[in-house]
Amino acid sequence: MNTQDLLSGSDHLECNTDNADGCLRCNIGAMQPPVCCDIHASAEFSPYTSDISKPPTVPQHSRVPQYTKGKHNFDLVNALDDWRETKTTTIFGWASLNDHRPSLVMPNATLNRIVDCAHHRKIHTAQDLKWETGWMDTEHFGMEVVAITQRHTPPLPSPFVSTPLRPTSSNNTSITSCLRPPTTSSTTSHTIHSLNIPKRRNKCSACGHEGHNAHNRICAQHPSRTSASEK
């Protein structure tokens, strides 16, 4: 239905016979807004603007590496599950526990996040709990949850446990050389060096002095010198 059809079917003239234009409230054609919109007449809408500040940016929580859950992790899951069941019945009653389950106090995603962060020891205070999980009830129950988390945190690994080195060719060579029995020559030389025994020097059989033999020309009793002196 177009505007002309609406105007033809309007009874605004019959509503107010005292006015030639009829009833202004019933006249569909007269129902035109005096202002177009806030784009073409922004000054007309300035009293109605509101300054709504943007919410603060939620800080990014820590990245938790993947891991394999152990006994301490499952014990923490059971402890947190028991705690939120007790808290749900205390605050909302048994009917709420049957209808909404314990997620009414703490969602399952929050519980799992707490277990993951506790495994990597990232939750020590209520502020840490708020930072890592964004749980809205941290202000009310944060200290209780932190206490449960600390009781079921896995122990720190022993500093005396070390991973053995993988054997390499250089290590094998050094180990083999250490385990190989020393030879006779090396043992003798090592013993002589450790006892500081002087080396044996040559002794001339002709003159009896050390440092040369009878075949050296430096000896006074050398055959060449003897024959020369006789000539």
Side-chain angles (χ1 to χ4, degrees):
M1 182 179 294
N2 54 28
T3 306
Q4 293 293 74
D5 295 336
L6 292 175
L7 291 175
S8 61
S10 176
D11 56 354
H12 66 282
L13 296 176
E14 300 177 0
C15 181
N16 187 2
T17 57
D18 296 335
N19 190 351
D21 295 331
C23 180
L24 298 179
R25 297 181 60 184
C26 299
N27 186 1
I28 300 177
M31 297 174 59
Q32 297 294 332
V35 180
C36 178
C37 62
D38 59 342
I39 298 177
H40 298 91
S42 58
E44 298 293 336
F45 292 87
S46 58
Y48 307 101
T49 57
S50 59
D51 186 12
I52 301 177
S53 59
K54 294 182 179 180
T57 304
V58 178
Q60 295 293 332
H61 55 247
S62 303
R63 294 183 179 272
V64 177
Q66 295 183 356
Y67 67 98
T68 302
K69 288 186 178 180
K71 180 179 182 302
H72 292 85
N73 304 122
F74 291 111
D75 290 344
L76 179 57
V77 172
N78 296 331
L80 291 174
D81 199 22
D82 294 340
W83 174 85
R84 65 178 185 171
E85 285 187 2
T86 303
K87 194 64 64 176
T88 300
T89 55
T90 302
I91 299 175
F92 304 102
W94 284 100
S96 299
L97 180 62
N98 295 330
D99 295 339
H100 302 283
R101 299 299 180 182
S103 58
L104 188 64
V105 173
M106 177 185 289
N108 294 331
T110 302
L111 188 146
N112 295 330
R113 176 67 183 176
I114 293 174
V115 175
D116 295 341
C117 293
H119 178 82
H120 295 281
R121 296 174 179 83
K122 295 184 178 296
I123 296 179
H124 304 281
T125 62
Q127 289 76 13
D128 297 337
L129 180 64
K130 179 69 174 180
W131 175 281
E132 298 293 349
T133 64
W135 186 34
M136 301 302 296
D137 289 329
T138 304
E139 290 77 6
H140 303 286
F141 313 116
M143 295 305 300
E144 299 180 28
V145 174
V146 170
I148 296 173
T149 302
Q150 292 178 347
R151 287 198 299 267
H152 295 85
T153 301
L156 290 171
S158 175
F160 300 102
V161 177
S162 60
T163 304
L165 296 176
R166 298 180 61 182
T168 59
S169 58
S170 59
N171 292 335
N172 293 335
T173 304
S174 60
I175 293 174
T176 304
S177 61
C178 293
L179 297 180
R180 183 181 301 167
T183 59
T184 306
S185 59
S186 61
T187 305
T188 304
S189 61
H190 177 70
T191 305
I192 294 174
H193 179 73
S194 61
L195 297 178
N196 293 325
I197 299 176
K199 295 182 180 180
R200 182 178 179 181
R201 304 182 64 182
N202 295 333
K203 186 175 182 181
C204 181
S205 59
C207 65
H209 295 285
E210 294 181 352
H212 64 275
N213 51 33
H215 300 285
N216 291 346
R217 296 182 179 273
I218 62 175
C219 179
Q221 303 296 329
H222 193 270
S224 61
R225 293 193 175 187
T226 305
S227 58
S229 61
E230 292 177 353
K231 290 179 180 180

